[in-house]
Every structure is written in C-alpha cells, then in structure tokens.
Amino acid sequence: MREDKTTTDTELALLYSAVKNAFREAHLTTPDLDARLLVTETLGVSTAQLIANPRRVIPGHLAHEVEQRARARLAGQSIGRILGRRAFWSLDLRISPDTLEPRPETETVVELALSVIGPDDAALVADLGVGTGAILLAILSERLNAFGVGVDVSMAALSQAARNAERHNLDSRTVYVAGNFGEALAPVFDVVVSNPPYIATDRIPQLEATVRNYDPHVALDGGEDGLNCYRVVFRQARSMLKKGGRLIVEIDPAAEQAVVAEAQQHGLIDVVTANDLTGRPRALSLQLSDDNMQTGYKSS
Ligand SMILES: C[S@@+](CC[C@H](N)C(=O)[O-])C[C@H]1O[C@@H](n2cnc3c(N)ncnc32)[C@H](O)[C@@H]1O
C-alpha cells in the first residue's frame, strides 16, 4: 500500500486489487472478503458494481480513505471495528469502542432461545450483558409479541443497544437497565439469555490482536477461571426466572463441563446443549429445579 497522503484519482479495480493483494501478502484469514467489504462499504458501491464497473474513477480523497482503512486492518483492527458495524442474524448492528463485536457463534444462543419461544408467545426476555443488543434484538425480530429487557454494566453499551433497537424498529418492545447482570430483575422472565464475559484473565494477553486490543476488556474478562460471571448469573436465576422459565448462556466449548457443574450446583437442571456451526458446544439451556424456584414474590 502506498504511504502518500495525497492519493490521486484511481480506478475502482486497481484500488480493489491493491487492497486485496496487501491483505493476501499479510496472510489475513479472509483477505478477499475483507478487501471487498472494505472497498464497497467505504465507497458506497455494491459488489455488482465492483465487478461490472471496474474502470470507474475513484476520487483521490476516497481512495485515500480506503487506503487508511486498509492500513488499520493490517494493523489488526477487524473490518467490523473499522466500519463501525457488524451483521448479526438478519440485523445490521452498529458497534462502538464500548461494545463487543458480535460473533457468528453467538447466533447459537438466539437459535436456542427461539426453540423455546413459540411464534406468537408474548414472552418476556432478559439479556444480561446486552452489549450491542445482538441477542435480544435478534430474538425480538423473530418473535413479534415478545418484550425484552437489556441489562449491562456499561452505560455506553446500553446506549448503543438502544440505538440499534431504534434502527430496527424494536425500541417500543425493549427497555434497558444498568446493573450487575440480573440483580435488579424480578422473577417474571420466560427466558433469560446471556453471553457473559468468559475468558480467564490470564488468557486475555494471548488472544489475537483483533480481540485483545479492540474488544472492551469488561466484555471479555471472566475472572481467574473464566467462570465468575456464570456464578453470579446462576446465583441470580431464582430471582429472575418465572416457573418453567429457561436460562440460556453462551459458553466456551472447552468449558462446557465446568459450566454445567456450576449450573447444577445452583439447582439448574435439564441441561440442553446446542452446537455452533463448527460442531462445538456453544450454548446451554437450563431450568431451575422446582425446589429452587422462588416463591412468594411480591411485585411492590
Ligand atoms: C461477551 S459481551 C456480550 C455482548 C452481547 N450480548 C453479544 O453477545 O455480542 C459481555 C457483555 O457483558 C457486559 N458485562 C460485563 N460485566 C457485567 C456485569 N457485571 N453486569 C452486566 N453486564 C456486564 C459487558 O459490558 C458486555 O457488554
């Protein structure tokens, strides 16, 4: 990639090739896809235009912006972070430095939640650690009578989730609460979902730069063994779930047994495991045993 700041006008295909080649030479995992997204999104052209109109002239200032963004990608930022948006489920979500970039494997949590919420159910759903709103908004986009509460410890993340809800016309069916997971909730929820921080603290420095340097650490750090947030959420289950309600959590595949053991210690039974697209266990659906249900809840 050229280093000059005053990029001259260039042709679309030449610019695209330069970015693609730079990404290939740097051995990015998906160089062609990254180059295509970066070029089309930055220039506001479609993939069809990229192919059909290769000689289109790109003004120097736009070519310069593409080159700057390509350099950010080569320095370790993900395409989502650079563009400030990420596709999740059927939604186009805005992300910010305060939110985790949603991951495709998290769609496993959505699938599991949809498997227990009927198409017309007026289900009450809580998402603990809502971030961009990815899980909650995906569920509400599929279940038109459901209502959702998004919780996060980060006010900036809550604002981002609220903005994403508005963009997808889901704001009238969501509210947002700042707090420590479910501490402020009452036992009225049909489904509680959570993708809590679950990386063991001492593993964070070993994560790839795209994650380590750009995802907020409050969204990653699960404490010494990575299980701290599960312990909090499992302890809170009886004060969030209504009778028959389900708690659905994302897990690190390697931690499946440890998370199930923690869940069982907190009276959560009837474990259903769902695999992600790579075939690895990625989400657990749990239910409180009858003798662990909270009784005598007063709504005042
Ligand atoms: C792994 S991210 C998940 C974000 C989003 N749900 C997703 O799946 O893309 C974890 C989220 O939990 C939030 N979080 C961390 N500690 C929390 C706490 N004690 N109470 C509530 N939310 C917390 C973080 O701010 C972050 O948004």
Side-chain angles (χ1 to χ4, degrees), residues 100-103 106 127-132 134-135 151-154 157 179-181 195-197 218-219 229:
L100 184 98
E101 185 174 350
R103 312 289 205 269
T106 298
D127 183 347
L128 311 182
V130 69
T132 54
I135 302 172
V151 180
D152 211 289
V153 76
S154 157
N180 182 20
F181 296 113
N195 173 17
V218 66
C229 299

Side-chain angles (χ1 to χ4, degrees), residues 30-291:
T30 53
D32 294 11
L33 175 65
D34 288 9
R36 180 167 56 75
L37 282 172
L38 194 133
V39 169
T40 55
E41 294 280 329
T42 306
L43 300 179
V45 300
S46 65
T47 302
Q49 286 169 322
L50 190 63
I51 296 160
N53 204 355
R55 305 211 59 188
R56 175 178 176 153
V57 175
I58 306 301
H61 71 281
L62 282 179
H64 179 61
E65 184 162 0
V66 169
E67 289 176 5
Q68 271 191 323
R69 288 180 162 191
R71 271 195 280 280
R73 178 71 192 98
L74 291 169
Q77 271 198 62
S78 68
I79 292 292
R81 283 267 166 236
I82 293 166
L83 300 176
R85 56 198 282 198
R86 172 80 194 218
F88 181 84
W89 200 254
S90 61
L91 309 173
D92 172 29
L93 297 175
R94 296 294 190 261
I95 63 174
S96 78
D98 302 295
T99 56
L100 184 98
E101 185 174 350
R103 312 289 205 269
E105 57 268 26
T106 298
E107 294 186 357
T108 317
V109 176
V110 177
E111 285 165 4
L112 210 41
L114 294 178
S115 75
V116 299
I117 306 173
D120 301 319
D121 287 358
L124 196 49
V125 182
D127 183 347
L128 311 182
V130 69
T132 54
I135 302 172
L136 186 65
L137 300 181
I139 294 169
L140 296 192
S141 73
E142 299 288 342
R143 294 293 182 262
L144 304 188
N145 294 324
F147 189 91
V149 178
V151 180
D152 211 289
V153 76
S154 157
M155 291 301 289
L158 289 172
S159 304
Q160 194 66 25
R163 278 193 289 273
N164 279 322
E166 207 174 322
R167 291 190 68 250
H168 290 284
N169 292 322
L170 295 168
D171 47 321
S172 62
R173 290 194 283 129
T174 52
V175 293
Y176 298 93
V177 177
N180 182 20
F181 296 113
E183 71 176 359
L185 304 183
V188 296
F189 289 89
D190 299 284
V191 175
V192 174
V193 292
S194 187
N195 173 17
Y198 59 66
I199 312 290
T201 308
D202 65 2
R203 274 190 51 219
I204 292 178
Q206 297 148 32
L207 297 174
E208 58 184 274
T210 314
V211 178
R212 188 183 68 227
N213 295 339
Y214 299 102
D215 277 321
H217 279 208
V218 66
L220 301 174
D221 195 342
E224 194 178 346
D225 63 357
L227 302 179
N228 280 1
C229 299
Y230 294 104
R231 294 189 184 101
V232 175
V233 171
F234 292 165
R235 202 178 318 121
Q236 294 169 339
R238 63 193 295 270
S239 56
M240 302 185 288
L241 291 174
K242 77 180 200 193
K243 196 170 168 46
R246 295 204 74 96
L247 173 61
I248 299 173
V249 292
E250 176 166 327
I251 56 166
D252 175 347
E256 182 189 11
Q257 286 179 8
V259 179
V260 169
E262 282 291 336
Q264 285 168 341
Q265 277 179 34
H266 288 85
L268 288 152
I269 54 165
D270 192 22
V271 183
V272 177
T273 305
N275 292 347
D276 62 22
L277 288 176
T278 68
R280 297 186 300 168
R282 185 57 73 174
L284 302 176
S285 172
L286 307 154
Q287 196 164 36
L288 274 175
S289 59
D290 279 348
D291 48 357

